[in-house]
């Protein structure tokens, strides 16, 4: 549904709502700048070693009103001044998406303002266009390596909503590779940030894990996960303290292997396509080695690199609001008949 909005010199105020997985988030964006970005994490999943969909939907239901209220309060705006509501339509867990979608539809109806649907993966990438102090943004076309708990993709971004996935994982996502190895080692969920932390004191060359070698720009991480499982089973059979005594070196070696395979395909893609603007996005882009390697390899390859601030790497509504802002400018709205799509593609 396209509705023509008269863009006077009024501020564009977007309320973004994100509920695709286990974070309930709301953000207020004014003219492309973040005024508030509230994220409620769901600790309930920790003891299960992964997200339990049924519990996630229930927690979203509890959190959504306080989180939206907090975002509006922190931005110091009146609900009546909001120009549009942007929400995550997918991909994600259906029960979680339903909470954010239904809430957004109801609030848009109550406030009589337009509703904008956002693809979560577009949100991760478009987070690079949130107004920042440097005023430096990627130029189209650029390549974004989107690495999260559910996705690992190399995306050629030709325009805000014209994106082509040129490579992706054929099995586990990079974030899953972190989280599953953490689970094997008895590290709580989500394991990615903790592996990153332990790896800082470890030797990345101490243990060898295989780097997948698929053709084109695709990735595979399931072999790596199996290799660490067998490796640790074998070592633990000999010495039951092996994981505890070697935690830092295991984490550093395993992390270095993931990051190495990510860059192998990214470098190939930029060389093949002659693209020099390179960005990373998604939860795993919070990883310290990934961030430092992007800078180091970027200098070698003569790239202009774009690393998102930490608060826009893992799931947050600021990234949904900026995507919503650009759709708002195009007048791309959806009606009350919109439904979430757990398998929405880029
Ligand atoms: O984008 P995100 O918040 O949610 C999805 O859309 O999946 O990404 C979450 C993923 C988890 O797998 C988490 O372990 C990983 O991002 N992650 C990290 C780090 N911080 C978050 N992985 C490695 N190093 C980190 N510092
Ligand atoms: Zn995400």
């Amino acid at each position: 549904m396209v509705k023509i909005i008269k863009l006077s010199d009024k501020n564009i105020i977007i309320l973004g709502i994100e509920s695709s997985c286990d974070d309930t988030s709301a953000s207020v964006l004014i003219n492309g700048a973040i005024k508030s970005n509230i994220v409620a994490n769901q600790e309930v999943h920790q003891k299960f070693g992964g997200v339990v969909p049924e519990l996630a939907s229930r927690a979203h239901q509890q959190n959504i009103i306080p989180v939206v209220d907090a975002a509006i309060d922190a931005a110091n705006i009146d609900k009546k001044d909001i120009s549009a509501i942007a929400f995550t339509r997918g991909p994600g867990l259906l029960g979680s998406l339903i909470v954010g979608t239904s809430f957004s539809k109801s609030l848009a109806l109550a406030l009589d303002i337009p509703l904008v649907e956002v693809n979560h993966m577009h949100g991760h990438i478009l987070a690079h266009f949130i107004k920042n102090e440097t005023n430096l943004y990627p130029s189209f076309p650029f390549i974004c390596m989107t690495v999260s708990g559910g996705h690992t993709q190399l995306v050629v971004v030709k325009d805000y909503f014209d994106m082509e996935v040129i490579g992706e994982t054929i099995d586990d996502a990079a974030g899953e590779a972190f989280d599953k190895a953490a689970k094997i080692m008895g590290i709580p969920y989500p394991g990615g940030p903790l592996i990153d932390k332990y790896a800082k004191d470890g030797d990345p060359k101490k243990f060898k894990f295989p780097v997948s070698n698929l053709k084109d720009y695709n990735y595979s991480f399931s072999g790596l996960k199996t290799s660490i499982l067998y490796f640790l089973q074998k070592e633990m059979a000999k010495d039951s303290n092996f994981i505890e005594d070697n935690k830092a070196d295991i984490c550093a070696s395993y992390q270095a292997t993931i990051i190495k395979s990510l860059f192998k395909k990214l470098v190939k893609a930029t060389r093949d396509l002659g693209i020099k603007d390179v960005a990373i996005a998604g939860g795993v882009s919070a990883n310290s080695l990934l961030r430092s390697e992007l800078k180091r390899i970027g200098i070698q390859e003569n790239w202009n690199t774009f690393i998102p601030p930490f608060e826009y790497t893992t799931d947050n509504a600021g990234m949904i609001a900026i995507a919503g802002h650009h759709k708002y400018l195009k007048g791309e709205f959806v009606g009350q008949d919109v439904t979430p799509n757990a398998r929405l593609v880029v």
Side-chain angles (χ1 to χ4, degrees), residues 142-147 153-155 166 216-219 259-275 277-280 290 293-295 297-298 301 303 305:
F142 66 94
I143 291 192
C144 188
M145 183 162 73
T146 318
V147 273
Q153 295 182 326
L154 286 183
V155 185
I166 56 164
D216 306 326
Y217 307 120
N218 290 331
Y219 294 102
I259 304 304
K260 190 170 167 194
S261 39
L262 288 174
F263 277 104
K264 199 163 148 190
K265 297 303 169 102
L266 178 60
V267 169
K268 178 172 158 52
T270 57
R271 286 183 185 168
D272 290 353
L273 303 175
I275 293 180
D277 277 23
V278 180
I280 51 173
L290 179 60
E293 281 294 272
L294 183 70
K295 281 192 201 140
I297 297 173
E301 296 287 323
W303 293 340
T305 53

Side-chain angles (χ1 to χ4, degrees), residues 18 20-23 41 91-92 120-121 124 146-151 173-180 182 188-197 200 255 258-259 281-291 310 312-316 319:
E18 154 66 29
S20 66
C21 189
D22 60 337
D23 295 310
N41 304 118
H120 180 85
M121 302 313 292
H124 273 301
T146 318
V147 273
S148 71
H151 290 80
E176 265 179 296
F178 275 101
D179 297 339
K180 288 181 175 172
Y189 176 86
L194 288 168
I195 292 191
D196 188 0
K197 188 175 142 215
K200 289 196 166 73
Q255 171 176 279
I258 296 179
I259 304 304
V284 181
S285 68
N287 182 269
S288 54
L289 182 65
L290 179 60
R291 295 166 86 90
F310 277 110
Y312 306 135
T313 55
T314 48
D315 292 348
N316 69 92
M319 69 188 205

